[in-house]
mmCIF file of all heavy atoms in Angstrom:
data_model
loop_
_atom_site.group_PDB
_atom_site.id
_atom_site.type_symbol
_atom_site.label_atom_id
_atom_site.label_comp_id
_atom_site.label_asym_id
_atom_site.label_seq_id
_atom_site.Cartn_x
_atom_site.Cartn_y
_atom_site.Cartn_z
ATOM 1 N N LEU A 360 60.286 96.834 45.999
ATOM 2 C CA LEU A 360 59.212 96.337 45.296
ATOM 3 C C LEU A 360 58.421 95.403 46.107
ATOM 4 O O LEU A 360 58.731 94.144 46.305
ATOM 5 C CB LEU A 360 59.670 95.520 43.940
ATOM 6 C CG LEU A 360 60.276 96.394 42.922
ATOM 7 C CD1 LEU A 360 61.783 96.003 42.670
ATOM 8 C CD2 LEU A 360 59.482 96.319 41.636
ATOM 9 N N LEU A 361 57.416 95.962 46.937
ATOM 10 C CA LEU A 361 56.727 95.111 47.905
ATOM 11 C C LEU A 361 55.366 94.830 47.508
ATOM 12 O O LEU A 361 54.887 95.381 46.573
ATOM 13 C CB LEU A 361 56.805 95.906 49.218
ATOM 14 C CG LEU A 361 58.203 96.231 49.722
ATOM 15 C CD1 LEU A 361 58.137 97.020 51.099
ATOM 16 C CD2 LEU A 361 59.025 94.886 50.018
ATOM 17 N N MET A 362 54.659 94.042 48.312
ATOM 18 C CA MET A 362 53.222 93.549 47.970
ATOM 19 C C MET A 362 53.332 92.702 46.682
ATOM 20 O O MET A 362 52.694 93.105 45.588
ATOM 21 C CB MET A 362 52.274 94.606 47.918
ATOM 22 C CG MET A 362 51.861 95.257 49.202
ATOM 23 S SD MET A 362 50.513 96.398 49.181
ATOM 24 C CE MET A 362 49.099 95.233 48.886
ATOM 25 N N ASN A 363 54.149 91.704 46.550
ATOM 26 C CA ASN A 363 54.454 90.964 45.388
ATOM 27 C C ASN A 363 55.024 91.789 44.307
ATOM 28 O O ASN A 363 54.447 92.073 43.217
ATOM 29 C CB ASN A 363 53.197 90.135 44.822
ATOM 30 C CG ASN A 363 53.629 89.156 43.765
ATOM 31 O OD1 ASN A 363 54.485 88.474 43.943
ATOM 32 N ND2 ASN A 363 52.975 89.280 42.613
ATOM 33 N N GLY A 364 56.213 92.250 44.647
ATOM 34 C CA GLY A 364 56.887 93.155 43.600
ATOM 35 C C GLY A 364 57.178 92.591 42.286
ATOM 36 O O GLY A 364 57.358 93.313 41.310
ATOM 37 N N THR A 365 57.317 91.232 42.254
ATOM 38 C CA THR A 365 57.513 90.523 40.884
ATOM 39 C C THR A 365 56.345 90.729 39.945
ATOM 40 O O THR A 365 56.352 90.535 38.771
ATOM 41 C CB THR A 365 57.907 89.136 41.017
ATOM 42 O OG1 THR A 365 56.802 88.500 41.617
ATOM 43 C CG2 THR A 365 59.133 88.918 41.832
ATOM 44 N N GLY A 366 55.135 91.116 40.607
ATOM 45 C CA GLY A 366 53.843 91.040 39.810
ATOM 46 C C GLY A 366 53.972 92.081 38.678
ATOM 47 O O GLY A 366 53.558 91.808 37.555
ATOM 48 N N ILE A 367 54.634 93.254 38.932
ATOM 49 C CA ILE A 367 54.779 94.242 37.876
ATOM 50 C C ILE A 367 55.448 93.803 36.630
ATOM 51 O O ILE A 367 55.130 94.338 35.512
ATOM 52 C CB ILE A 367 55.675 95.461 38.478
ATOM 53 C CG1 ILE A 367 54.927 96.017 39.721
ATOM 54 C CG2 ILE A 367 55.914 96.472 37.435
ATOM 55 C CD1 ILE A 367 55.629 97.086 40.392
ATOM 56 N N CYS A 368 56.323 92.830 36.695
ATOM 57 C CA CYS A 368 56.959 92.167 35.496
ATOM 58 C C CYS A 368 56.006 91.579 34.572
ATOM 59 O O CYS A 368 56.243 91.674 33.337
ATOM 60 C CB CYS A 368 58.015 91.149 36.054
ATOM 61 S SG CYS A 368 58.978 90.445 34.687
ATOM 62 N N GLY A 369 55.008 90.978 35.102
ATOM 63 C CA GLY A 369 53.763 90.493 34.306
ATOM 64 C C GLY A 369 54.003 89.210 33.651
ATOM 65 O O GLY A 369 53.229 88.224 33.802
ATOM 66 N N LYS A 370 55.102 88.889 32.958
ATOM 67 C CA LYS A 370 55.370 87.654 32.297
ATOM 68 C C LYS A 370 56.883 87.223 32.519
ATOM 69 O O LYS A 370 57.827 88.031 32.582
ATOM 70 C CB LYS A 370 55.291 87.702 30.778
ATOM 71 C CG LYS A 370 53.818 87.926 30.343
ATOM 72 C CD LYS A 370 52.983 86.600 30.299
ATOM 73 C CE LYS A 370 51.574 86.835 29.723
ATOM 74 N NZ LYS A 370 50.853 85.586 29.800
ATOM 75 N N LEU A 371 57.060 85.922 32.731
ATOM 76 C CA LEU A 371 58.438 85.385 33.027
ATOM 77 C C LEU A 371 59.416 85.733 31.808
ATOM 78 O O LEU A 371 60.561 86.144 32.106
ATOM 79 C CB LEU A 371 58.343 83.879 33.135
ATOM 80 C CG LEU A 371 59.678 83.285 33.538
ATOM 81 C CD1 LEU A 371 59.981 83.579 35.052
ATOM 82 C CD2 LEU A 371 59.557 81.685 33.645
ATOM 83 N N LYS A 372 58.996 85.864 30.530
ATOM 84 C CA LYS A 372 59.896 86.191 29.512
ATOM 85 C C LYS A 372 60.405 87.562 29.651
ATOM 86 O O LYS A 372 61.456 88.001 28.910
ATOM 87 C CB LYS A 372 59.164 86.006 28.130
ATOM 88 C CG LYS A 372 58.021 86.824 27.841
ATOM 89 C CD LYS A 372 57.347 86.528 26.442
ATOM 90 C CE LYS A 372 56.194 87.388 26.205
ATOM 91 N NZ LYS A 372 55.451 86.963 25.060
ATOM 92 N N LYS A 373 59.663 88.549 30.372
ATOM 93 C CA LYS A 373 60.092 89.904 30.535
ATOM 94 C C LYS A 373 60.978 90.066 31.763
ATOM 95 O O LYS A 373 61.499 91.186 31.887
ATOM 96 C CB LYS A 373 58.839 90.813 30.803
ATOM 97 C CG LYS A 373 57.842 90.847 29.613
ATOM 98 C CD LYS A 373 56.633 91.804 30.025
ATOM 99 C CE LYS A 373 55.798 91.869 28.774
ATOM 100 N NZ LYS A 373 54.637 92.739 29.191
ATOM 101 N N LEU A 374 61.281 89.007 32.441
ATOM 102 C CA LEU A 374 62.108 89.028 33.657
ATOM 103 C C LEU A 374 63.593 89.567 33.418
ATOM 104 O O LEU A 374 64.062 90.520 34.087
ATOM 105 C CB LEU A 374 62.187 87.725 34.308
ATOM 106 C CG LEU A 374 62.766 87.804 35.782
ATOM 107 C CD1 LEU A 374 61.922 88.693 36.670
ATOM 108 C CD2 LEU A 374 62.532 86.307 36.306
ATOM 109 N N PRO A 375 64.290 89.097 32.210
ATOM 110 C CA PRO A 375 65.559 89.672 32.038
ATOM 111 C C PRO A 375 65.659 91.265 31.860
ATOM 112 O O PRO A 375 66.421 91.913 32.404
ATOM 113 C CB PRO A 375 65.965 89.069 30.747
ATOM 114 C CG PRO A 375 65.237 87.661 30.840
ATOM 115 C CD PRO A 375 63.970 88.000 31.416
ATOM 116 N N LYS A 376 64.614 91.713 31.115
ATOM 117 C CA LYS A 376 64.506 93.249 30.914
ATOM 118 C C LYS A 376 64.264 93.918 32.156
ATOM 119 O O LYS A 376 64.801 95.051 32.458
ATOM 120 C CB LYS A 376 63.487 93.496 29.848
ATOM 121 C CG LYS A 376 63.550 94.919 29.232
ATOM 122 C CD LYS A 376 62.608 94.959 28.026
ATOM 123 C CE LYS A 376 62.609 96.512 27.516
ATOM 124 N NZ LYS A 376 61.532 96.691 26.632
ATOM 125 N N PHE A 377 63.274 93.427 32.964
ATOM 126 C CA PHE A 377 62.921 93.870 34.256
ATOM 127 C C PHE A 377 64.071 94.017 35.235
ATOM 128 O O PHE A 377 64.279 95.028 35.769
ATOM 129 C CB PHE A 377 61.848 92.926 34.779
ATOM 130 C CG PHE A 377 61.305 93.250 36.119
ATOM 131 C CD1 PHE A 377 60.223 94.191 36.259
ATOM 132 C CD2 PHE A 377 61.635 92.520 37.276
ATOM 133 C CE1 PHE A 377 59.699 94.529 37.576
ATOM 134 C CE2 PHE A 377 61.005 92.830 38.505
ATOM 135 C CZ PHE A 377 60.060 93.780 38.652
ATOM 136 N N LEU A 378 64.790 92.840 35.318
ATOM 137 C CA LEU A 378 65.961 92.886 36.165
ATOM 138 C C LEU A 378 67.145 93.816 35.697
ATOM 139 O O LEU A 378 67.833 94.531 36.588
ATOM 140 C CB LEU A 378 66.521 91.481 36.396
ATOM 141 C CG LEU A 378 65.633 90.514 37.114
ATOM 142 C CD1 LEU A 378 66.128 89.124 37.049
ATOM 143 C CD2 LEU A 378 65.524 90.913 38.655
ATOM 144 N N SER A 379 67.267 93.829 34.456
ATOM 145 C CA SER A 379 68.344 94.775 33.869
ATOM 146 C C SER A 379 68.040 96.184 34.101
ATOM 147 O O SER A 379 68.972 97.054 34.435
ATOM 148 C CB SER A 379 68.288 94.494 32.347
ATOM 149 O OG SER A 379 69.367 95.390 31.644
ATOM 150 N N GLN A 380 66.726 96.668 33.935
ATOM 151 C CA GLN A 380 66.309 97.910 34.393
ATOM 152 C C GLN A 380 66.558 98.254 35.807
ATOM 153 O O GLN A 380 67.131 99.323 36.126
ATOM 154 C CB GLN A 380 64.860 98.225 33.901
ATOM 155 C CG GLN A 380 64.226 99.522 34.320
ATOM 156 C CD GLN A 380 65.011 100.690 33.716
ATOM 157 O OE1 GLN A 380 65.908 100.616 32.872
ATOM 158 N NE2 GLN A 380 64.492 101.944 33.988
ATOM 159 N N LEU A 381 66.211 97.361 36.647
ATOM 160 C CA LEU A 381 66.428 97.574 38.063
ATOM 161 C C LEU A 381 67.876 97.696 38.442
ATOM 162 O O LEU A 381 68.267 98.541 39.120
ATOM 163 C CB LEU A 381 65.961 96.348 38.852
ATOM 164 C CG LEU A 381 64.384 96.274 39.146
ATOM 165 C CD1 LEU A 381 63.996 94.849 39.669
ATOM 166 C CD2 LEU A 381 63.841 97.354 39.907
ATOM 167 N N LYS A 382 68.702 96.846 37.770
ATOM 168 C CA LYS A 382 70.197 96.941 37.876
ATOM 169 C C LYS A 382 70.667 98.305 37.558
ATOM 170 O O LYS A 382 71.551 98.882 38.117
ATOM 171 C CB LYS A 382 70.814 95.792 37.105
ATOM 172 C CG LYS A 382 72.280 95.564 37.398
ATOM 173 C CD LYS A 382 72.757 94.440 36.513
ATOM 174 C CE LYS A 382 74.268 94.378 36.455
ATOM 175 N NZ LYS A 382 74.736 93.334 35.448
ATOM 176 N N SER A 383 70.184 98.866 36.403
ATOM 177 C CA SER A 383 70.673 100.159 35.902
ATOM 178 C C SER A 383 70.313 101.254 36.774
ATOM 179 O O SER A 383 70.994 102.416 36.728
ATOM 180 C CB SER A 383 70.034 100.394 34.493
ATOM 181 O OG SER A 383 68.726 100.698 34.745
ATOM 182 N N LEU A 384 69.371 101.146 37.718
ATOM 183 C CA LEU A 384 69.046 102.211 38.588
ATOM 184 C C LEU A 384 69.653 102.086 40.054
ATOM 185 O O LEU A 384 69.479 102.881 40.926
ATOM 186 C CB LEU A 384 67.446 102.189 38.922
ATOM 187 C CG LEU A 384 66.551 102.353 37.783
ATOM 188 C CD1 LEU A 384 65.132 102.059 37.972
ATOM 189 C CD2 LEU A 384 66.719 103.848 37.130
ATOM 190 N N LEU A 385 70.553 101.084 40.221
ATOM 191 C CA LEU A 385 71.168 100.792 41.452
ATOM 192 C C LEU A 385 72.466 101.431 41.599
ATOM 193 O O LEU A 385 73.360 101.346 40.771
ATOM 194 C CB LEU A 385 71.300 99.237 41.526
ATOM 195 C CG LEU A 385 71.291 98.589 42.950
ATOM 196 C CD1 LEU A 385 69.954 98.889 43.658
ATOM 197 C CD2 LEU A 385 71.332 96.985 42.728
ATOM 198 N N SER A 386 72.645 102.159 42.702
ATOM 199 C CA SER A 386 73.960 102.711 43.063
ATOM 200 C C SER A 386 75.006 101.584 43.461
ATOM 201 O O SER A 386 74.519 100.484 43.838
ATOM 202 C CB SER A 386 73.886 103.653 44.322
ATOM 203 O OG SER A 386 72.932 104.703 44.111
ATOM 204 N N PRO A 387 76.310 101.833 43.351
ATOM 205 C CA PRO A 387 77.247 100.885 43.799
ATOM 206 C C PRO A 387 76.970 100.590 45.254
ATOM 207 O O PRO A 387 76.743 101.475 46.066
ATOM 208 C CB PRO A 387 78.569 101.590 43.673
ATOM 209 C CG PRO A 387 78.301 102.629 42.668
ATOM 210 C CD PRO A 387 76.889 103.012 42.849
ATOM 211 N N GLY A 388 76.881 99.362 45.620
ATOM 212 C CA GLY A 388 76.583 98.880 47.075
ATOM 213 C C GLY A 388 75.144 98.920 47.342
ATOM 214 O O GLY A 388 74.587 98.719 48.539
ATOM 215 N N GLY A 389 74.342 99.239 46.279
ATOM 216 C CA GLY A 389 72.860 99.365 46.587
ATOM 217 C C GLY A 389 72.133 97.993 46.632
ATOM 218 O O GLY A 389 72.758 96.908 46.355
ATOM 219 N N GLN A 390 70.842 97.990 46.909
ATOM 220 C CA GLN A 390 70.127 96.678 47.095
ATOM 221 C C GLN A 390 68.707 96.917 46.602
ATOM 222 O O GLN A 390 68.121 97.912 46.640
ATOM 223 C CB GLN A 390 69.966 96.419 48.648
ATOM 224 C CG GLN A 390 69.463 97.417 49.497
ATOM 225 C CD GLN A 390 69.264 97.258 50.924
ATOM 226 O OE1 GLN A 390 69.471 96.132 51.346
ATOM 227 N NE2 GLN A 390 68.796 98.320 51.668
ATOM 228 N N ILE A 391 68.137 95.874 45.961
ATOM 229 C CA ILE A 391 66.827 95.704 45.519
ATOM 230 C C ILE A 391 66.142 94.792 46.567
ATOM 231 O O ILE A 391 66.521 93.617 46.700
ATOM 232 C CB ILE A 391 66.741 95.092 44.153
ATOM 233 C CG1 ILE A 391 67.463 96.006 43.137
ATOM 234 C CG2 ILE A 391 65.291 94.920 43.782
ATOM 235 C CD1 ILE A 391 67.942 95.259 41.895
ATOM 236 N N LEU A 392 65.048 95.288 47.142
ATOM 237 C CA LEU A 392 64.353 94.421 48.163
ATOM 238 C C LEU A 392 62.971 94.111 47.468
ATOM 239 O O LEU A 392 62.181 95.035 47.243
ATOM 240 C CB LEU A 392 64.140 95.125 49.486
ATOM 241 C CG LEU A 392 65.477 95.546 50.181
ATOM 242 C CD1 LEU A 392 65.176 96.389 51.412
ATOM 243 C CD2 LEU A 392 66.241 94.294 50.681
ATOM 244 N N ILE A 393 62.774 92.866 47.294
ATOM 245 C CA ILE A 393 61.601 92.444 46.477
ATOM 246 C C ILE A 393 60.930 91.173 47.153
ATOM 247 O O ILE A 393 61.572 90.313 47.713
ATOM 248 C CB ILE A 393 62.045 92.084 45.039
ATOM 249 C CG1 ILE A 393 60.763 91.734 44.176
ATOM 250 C CG2 ILE A 393 63.098 91.082 44.912
ATOM 251 C CD1 ILE A 393 61.192 91.869 42.707
ATOM 252 N N ASP A 394 59.617 91.260 47.136
ATOM 253 C CA ASP A 394 58.871 90.142 47.674
ATOM 254 C C ASP A 394 57.956 89.469 46.690
ATOM 255 O O ASP A 394 57.607 90.107 45.717
ATOM 256 C CB ASP A 394 58.100 90.380 49.005
ATOM 257 C CG ASP A 394 56.933 91.434 48.799
ATOM 258 O OD1 ASP A 394 56.661 91.713 47.577
ATOM 259 O OD2 ASP A 394 56.364 91.737 49.843
ATOM 260 N N SER A 395 57.701 88.229 46.958
ATOM 261 C CA SER A 395 56.756 87.502 46.073
ATOM 262 C C SER A 395 56.269 86.174 46.728
ATOM 263 O O SER A 395 56.582 85.900 47.893
ATOM 264 C CB SER A 395 57.401 87.096 44.699
ATOM 265 O OG SER A 395 56.420 86.612 43.817
ATOM 266 N N SER A 396 55.473 85.312 46.009
ATOM 267 C CA SER A 396 55.075 84.068 46.595
ATOM 268 C C SER A 396 55.183 82.966 45.623
ATOM 269 O O SER A 396 54.934 83.241 44.394
ATOM 270 C CB SER A 396 53.523 84.167 47.024
ATOM 271 O OG SER A 396 53.347 85.250 47.889
ATOM 272 N N ASP A 397 55.443 81.791 46.041
ATOM 273 C CA ASP A 397 55.355 80.613 45.192
ATOM 274 C C ASP A 397 54.069 80.017 45.261
ATOM 275 O O ASP A 397 53.603 79.394 46.283
ATOM 276 C CB ASP A 397 56.437 79.557 45.642
ATOM 277 C CG ASP A 397 56.536 78.352 44.802
ATOM 278 O OD1 ASP A 397 55.763 78.299 43.906
ATOM 279 O OD2 ASP A 397 57.417 77.549 45.035
ATOM 280 N N ILE A 398 53.322 80.183 44.260
ATOM 281 C CA ILE A 398 51.873 79.906 44.244
ATOM 282 C C ILE A 398 51.468 78.379 43.822
ATOM 283 O O ILE A 398 50.406 78.055 43.520
ATOM 284 C CB ILE A 398 51.034 80.931 43.465
ATOM 285 C CG1 ILE A 398 51.323 80.847 41.966
ATOM 286 C CG2 ILE A 398 51.034 82.263 44.045
ATOM 287 C CD1 ILE A 398 50.256 81.569 41.082
ATOM 288 N N ILE A 399 52.622 77.568 43.927
ATOM 289 C CA ILE A 399 52.361 76.203 43.537
ATOM 290 C C ILE A 399 51.365 75.519 44.389
ATOM 291 O O ILE A 399 50.685 74.593 43.937
ATOM 292 C CB ILE A 399 53.783 75.441 43.521
ATOM 293 C CG1 ILE A 399 53.629 73.942 42.895
ATOM 294 C CG2 ILE A 399 54.227 75.354 44.917
ATOM 295 C CD1 ILE A 399 53.644 73.991 41.479
ATOM 296 N N TYR A 400 51.248 76.050 45.601
ATOM 297 C CA TYR A 400 50.257 75.482 46.538
ATOM 298 C C TYR A 400 48.764 75.554 46.047
ATOM 299 O O TYR A 400 47.925 74.862 46.581
ATOM 300 C CB TYR A 400 50.445 76.112 47.902
ATOM 301 C CG TYR A 400 49.847 77.525 48.061
ATOM 302 C CD1 TYR A 400 48.659 77.814 48.249
ATOM 303 C CD2 TYR A 400 50.755 78.615 47.733
ATOM 304 C CE1 TYR A 400 48.071 79.214 48.394
ATOM 305 C CE2 TYR A 400 50.118 79.951 47.792
ATOM 306 C CZ TYR A 400 48.918 80.214 48.145
ATOM 307 O OH TYR A 400 48.353 81.560 48.168
ATOM 308 N N MET A 401 48.503 76.506 45.086
ATOM 309 C CA MET A 401 47.056 76.720 44.690
ATOM 310 C C MET A 401 46.720 75.638 43.602
ATOM 311 O O MET A 401 45.588 75.724 43.175
ATOM 312 C CB MET A 401 47.070 78.136 44.074
ATOM 313 C CG MET A 401 47.326 79.155 45.018
ATOM 314 S SD MET A 401 46.952 80.876 44.361
ATOM 315 C CE MET A 401 45.068 80.851 44.253
ATOM 316 N N PHE A 402 47.668 74.784 43.138
ATOM 317 C CA PHE A 402 47.233 73.768 42.210
ATOM 318 C C PHE A 402 46.974 72.497 42.920
ATOM 319 O O PHE A 402 47.623 72.096 43.868
ATOM 320 C CB PHE A 402 48.386 73.684 41.207
ATOM 321 C CG PHE A 402 48.597 74.986 40.364
ATOM 322 C CD1 PHE A 402 49.413 76.012 40.718
ATOM 323 C CD2 PHE A 402 47.897 75.167 39.230
ATOM 324 C CE1 PHE A 402 49.606 77.109 40.151
ATOM 325 C CE2 PHE A 402 47.925 76.447 38.541
ATOM 326 C CZ PHE A 402 48.791 77.392 38.898
ATOM 327 N N ASP A 403 46.182 71.668 42.248
ATOM 328 C CA ASP A 403 45.771 70.353 42.682
ATOM 329 C C ASP A 403 46.931 69.306 42.654
ATOM 330 O O ASP A 403 47.649 69.296 41.788
ATOM 331 C CB ASP A 403 44.599 69.727 42.063
ATOM 332 C CG ASP A 403 43.289 70.625 42.146
ATOM 333 O OD1 ASP A 403 43.191 71.328 43.346
ATOM 334 O OD2 ASP A 403 42.573 70.839 41.205
ATOM 335 N N GLU A 404 47.003 68.486 43.761
ATOM 336 C CA GLU A 404 47.805 67.359 43.686
ATOM 337 C C GLU A 404 47.227 66.115 43.078
ATOM 338 O O GLU A 404 45.971 65.810 43.312
ATOM 339 C CB GLU A 404 48.364 67.078 45.169
ATOM 340 C CG GLU A 404 49.500 68.075 45.652
ATOM 341 C CD GLU A 404 50.037 67.546 46.877
ATOM 342 O OE1 GLU A 404 49.729 66.417 47.380
ATOM 343 O OE2 GLU A 404 50.881 68.196 47.476
ATOM 344 N N ASP A 405 48.036 65.338 42.487
ATOM 345 C CA ASP A 405 47.608 63.966 42.000
ATOM 346 C C ASP A 405 47.961 62.917 43.072
ATOM 347 O O ASP A 405 48.432 63.341 44.130
ATOM 348 C CB ASP A 405 48.106 63.704 40.634
ATOM 349 C CG ASP A 405 49.596 63.497 40.620
ATOM 350 O OD1 ASP A 405 50.233 63.276 41.694
ATOM 351 O OD2 ASP A 405 50.229 63.755 39.499
ATOM 352 N N GLU A 406 47.630 61.694 42.796
ATOM 353 C CA GLU A 406 47.805 60.567 43.887
ATOM 354 C C GLU A 406 49.200 60.521 44.300
ATOM 355 O O GLU A 406 49.493 60.039 45.375
ATOM 356 C CB GLU A 406 47.180 59.304 43.340
ATOM 357 C CG GLU A 406 45.769 59.167 43.299
ATOM 358 C CD GLU A 406 45.184 59.355 41.875
ATOM 359 O OE1 GLU A 406 45.872 58.846 40.898
ATOM 360 O OE2 GLU A 406 44.114 59.927 41.713
#
C-alpha cells in the first residue's frame, strides 16, 4: 500500500476493519508494506 497507503482507509474509525481485512489476506510469514505521513507539520504553532 504505497503513495500514502493509509489514505484508502479514509477515517480513523475504519482502521480496525481495514487492518483486519489486510491481516485476513496475509500468508503465514507474510508482510504488509505501507507508507504514510504525519501531517502535524501542516498545522500552525502557538507561542
Side-chain angles (χ1 to χ4, degrees):
L360 291 119
L361 300 179
M362 287 189 74
N363 191 49
T365 62
I367 296 171
C368 182
K370 293 274 187 193
L371 191 64
K372 67 182 180 191
K373 294 182 178 175
L374 195 54
K376 196 175 175 187
F377 178 81
L378 292 171
S379 173
Q380 173 64 1
L381 286 172
K382 187 179 165 187
S383 76
L384 297 171
L385 212 52
S386 300
Q390 58 179 352
I391 299 158
L392 300 172
I393 186 166
D394 67 6
S395 194
S396 299
D397 183 354
I398 60 167
I399 192 77
Y400 72 91
M401 294 186 74
F402 296 92
D403 295 329
E404 282 192 3
D405 59 26
E406 289 99 36

